[in-house]
Amino acid sequence: RERTFIAIKPDGVQRGLVGKIIQRFEERGFKMVALKICAPGRAHLEKHYADLSKKPFFKDLVDYMVSGPIIAMVWEGLNAVKCGRMMLGETNPQASLPGSIRGDFSIQVGRNICHGSDSVESANHEIALWFNKNELVNWESAMYTWIYEV
Ligand code: GTP
Ligand code: MG
């Protein structure tokens, strides 16, 4: 099964949305494989968003991401990357539909609450960047056959 890296950004933590966001992934049927609160420094976040380093908003983005604690998570399930992105909504909350996390809880692109990997390759890269192997927990969900037909 596919894994994706989902993070709750400092605004999501400060606004008390951690439980609600976790609940959406749980209720959808995804399996939590890793979870921690952390406050990585600029160097780590510059690596995480390395592909955006040439963008004019890059410094603001890193300032934003180091402004408070982050909840880092790995969720597993069928098409977890694509489905996770759909649950997050569009990059710009103004374009995010109600029912998505950004569409329900945020207004501006520079305060869009959450991060989700944009491809299976970046998910693998981000999981390795944010977690040690021993922080990823393999376990069997008792609900598996109630969520998947095989
Ligand atoms: P992530 O899941 O956080 O990676 O967002 P994304 O994949 O939907 O968008 P992208 O990777 O292109 O941008 C990363 C983050 O940079 C966004 O989530 C925003 O927080 C921020 N960002 C993107 N575009 C802008 C912008 O035009 N202005 C500002 N201030 N921030 C932006
Ligand atoms: Mg992105």
Side-chain angles (χ1 to χ4, degrees):
R1 291 265 182 239
E2 195 168 289
R3 290 179 172 182
T4 189
F5 174 70
I6 301 289
I8 305 174
K9 297 178 178 182
D11 50 342
V13 177
Q14 290 287 354
R15 291 178 53 196
L17 297 171
V18 172
K20 282 196 170 113
I21 293 170
I22 290 175
Q23 185 168 21
R24 287 179 181 225
F25 281 86
E26 274 190 315
E27 287 183 344
R28 188 75 191 253
F30 288 109
K31 185 168 75 176
M32 182 188 288
V33 170
L35 170 77
K36 65 181 172 187
I37 185 166
C38 54
R42 301 190 76 86
H44 179 90
L45 287 148
E46 285 165 3
K47 257 190 228 168
H48 172 76
Y49 281 128
D51 55 323
L52 301 175
S53 62
K54 299 284 187 299
K55 300 281 186 187
F57 57 83
F58 187 65
K59 186 184 173 293
D60 289 341
L61 173 60
V62 176
D63 288 346
Y64 165 43
M65 294 297 288
V66 299
S67 65
I70 291 171
I71 306 296
M73 304 181 277
V74 178
W75 288 91
E76 181 182 297
L78 183 65
N79 294 325
V81 169
K82 191 158 184 252
C83 192
R85 293 279 290 188
M86 195 164 287
M87 291 167 69
L88 261 48
E90 299 297 322
T91 304
N92 188 343
Q94 296 288 320
S96 298
L97 292 174
S100 66
I101 293 165
R102 288 166 176 165
D104 285 347
F105 300 128
S106 65
I107 292 173
Q108 228 185 14
V109 68
R111 295 289 184 273
N112 64 357
I113 300 282
C114 49
H115 162 81
S117 306
D118 62 10
S119 68
V120 174
E121 300 74 59
S122 50
N124 292 335
H125 180 255
E126 289 169 1
I127 290 167
L129 179 65
W130 286 79
F131 289 99
N132 294 318
K133 271 214 167 67
N134 64 6
E135 293 178 300
L136 304 172
V137 177
N138 296 307
W139 61 287
E140 295 299 323
S141 166
M143 293 209 287
Y144 189 88
T145 55
W146 301 105
I147 294 168
Y148 299 102
E149 65 180 346
V150 174

